[in-house]
Amino acid sequence: MVNLAFYLLMNKQIIITASVFGMLAVIAGAFGAHGLKAYLDATQLEVWHTAVQYQFYHVFALLFLSTFAHTKNRLINASYYLFTLGIVFFSGSLYLLACRDLIGLSWLWIMGPITPIGGLLFIIGWATLAMAAFKSK
């Protein structure tokens, strides 16, 4: 009974996480298209757009994961954490990099190496999801 409660809670947690990241992606997309257009150059706007795009891709991946969260599968849980951290590292660092000159923090160029770490987390998350599917009955 405890295991069932844990997995139902995990499912709820995944859906809430996806909903919050989805809402933030819509806000970030609209803000980039309307609020930042006059302040960022084309390259910076493209970086912002890439962050929004990958955030959305992984929101959908999280929602997909929620359909499996009721199963007793640690690989699904691992995928959840990998995708979530991937969004924070990959998209988060790109948002900061795109706006570093605008917010007056040009030293944020040091965030550059964080982006590929986020990308690696995404890749491992997808591989983990594939392993979960392969091992499922």
Side-chain angles (χ1 to χ4, degrees):
M1 198 55 117
V2 173
N3 284 341
L4 178 61
F6 171 77
Y7 291 106
L8 290 175
L9 179 63
M10 191 67 192
N11 186 45
K12 184 176 179 179
Q13 183 177 345
I14 292 171
I15 293 171
I16 290 170
T17 302
S19 299
V20 169
F21 277 133
M23 177 187 65
L24 292 174
V26 171
I27 292 168
F31 186 61
H34 303 290
L36 294 175
K37 196 174 193 178
Y39 300 101
L40 301 181
D41 65 30
T43 303
Q44 292 167 320
L45 281 172
E46 185 61 31
V47 168
W48 185 274
H49 176 71
T50 299
V52 171
Q53 210 171 15
Y54 276 80
Q55 184 170 339
F56 264 126
Y57 294 155
H58 291 87
V59 162
F60 295 129
L62 287 169
L63 288 173
F64 180 72
L65 280 179
S66 73
T67 65
F68 294 104
H70 65 282
T71 63
K72 188 176 181 179
N73 193 326
R74 291 183 182 170
L75 292 171
I76 294 298
N77 293 343
S79 292
Y80 163 71
Y81 290 111
L82 289 162
F83 288 152
T84 299
L85 287 173
I87 290 170
V88 171
F89 283 30
F90 186 87
S91 294
S93 66
L94 288 180
Y95 291 133
L96 288 171
L97 286 168
C99 293
R100 70 178 185 255
D101 295 332
L102 179 65
I103 59 178
L105 300 175
S106 57
W107 58 267
L108 281 176
W109 63 269
I110 62 171
M111 296 295 287
I114 301 296
T115 308
I117 293 170
L120 182 61
L121 292 171
F122 285 152
I123 292 166
I124 296 168
W126 286 107
T128 305
L129 177 57
M131 286 189 296
F134 183 75
K135 289 184 174 188
S136 71
K137 297 177 184 175

